[in-house]
Amino acid sequence: MGEELKVIVFGIGKEEYGIEVDKVRTIERMMPITRVPKTPPFIKGVINLRGVVVPVLNLSGRFNLPESEVTEHTRIIVVAVNEMEVGFIVDTANDVIDINSDTIDTPPEIVGGIQAKYLDGIAKIGEDRLLIMLNLSEVLNKAEIVQLEQLEV
């Protein structure tokens, strides 16, 4: 029997994704983002979160998916990746669920246009619900982490 994982469920487009709760620092409503020059298009800039400068990127853009319009449901999920806090803009973040690690399968090579390296797996929830589990350390590769660390200056 696998271990129980607490997962925050969030939406990008029509897909549902999951991040383990222990990697999430906070979920914030959309706020003003300061643009930073010479960054990839999916890096939207930085926010001041309670006195800490946090880089923010749009996960849709990161996965080469069309970026959604900002709505009242849009959220910034602040996660800890390799000792650094980063904000992800997502369309919705509305659920915390428990899933059993046994229900997580290896992802196919490409899921909805997202390369498998960005994914930890696909969790089956109930009969007809799939949850795409993100691999945070791949979503931000090392070169991008170095670039984001330089934004904090």
Side-chain angles (χ1 to χ4, degrees):
M1 183 85 183
E3 62 179 310
E4 286 289 313
L5 302 173
K6 272 208 177 312
V7 174
I8 291 187
V9 178
F10 62 92
I12 299 175
K14 294 179 174 63
E15 302 299 331
E16 286 190 307
Y17 297 83
I19 298 177
E20 290 173 46
V21 166
D22 61 1
K23 295 187 170 110
V24 175
R25 293 280 194 254
T26 177
I27 299 175
E28 302 290 330
R29 292 186 178 277
M30 202 56 185
M31 59 182 71
I33 297 173
T34 304
R35 290 279 311 151
V36 177
K38 297 182 181 158
T39 56
F42 63 85
I43 297 178
K44 293 301 168 196
V46 294
I47 57 173
N48 181 343
L49 190 60
R50 294 181 269 291
V52 177
V53 174
V54 177
V56 174
L57 54 107
N58 191 311
L59 274 186
S60 301
R62 179 66 182 111
F63 297 151
N64 293 321
L65 300 171
E67 291 188 16
S68 305
E69 292 292 314
V70 173
T71 70
E72 68 202 44
H73 302 290
T74 303
R75 296 289 180 265
I76 299 174
I77 300 178
V78 179
V79 298
V81 182
N82 303 332
E83 316 278 308
M84 189 177 128
E85 290 190 356
V86 178
F88 293 142
I89 299 172
V90 300
D91 296 344
T92 59
N94 48 13
D95 216 354
V96 176
I97 61 172
D98 291 317
I99 59 174
N100 189 303
S101 60
D102 287 347
T103 65
I104 301 174
D105 288 335
T106 309
E109 282 305 303
I110 293 194
V111 177
I114 299 169
Q115 295 173 354
K117 70 177 184 175
Y118 297 139
L119 309 179
D120 263 347
I122 309 286
K124 292 187 197 96
I125 302 163
E127 290 298 308
D128 56 357
R129 190 172 172 199
L130 294 177
L131 189 62
I132 301 168
M133 301 296 295
L134 288 189
N135 178 342
L136 292 181
S137 55
E138 279 298 331
V139 169
L140 290 172
N141 67 35
K142 288 180 179 47
E144 288 160 350
I145 290 171
V146 168
Q147 206 173 8
L148 289 175
E149 283 170 342
Q150 291 166 350
L151 295 182
E152 297 180 26
V153 189

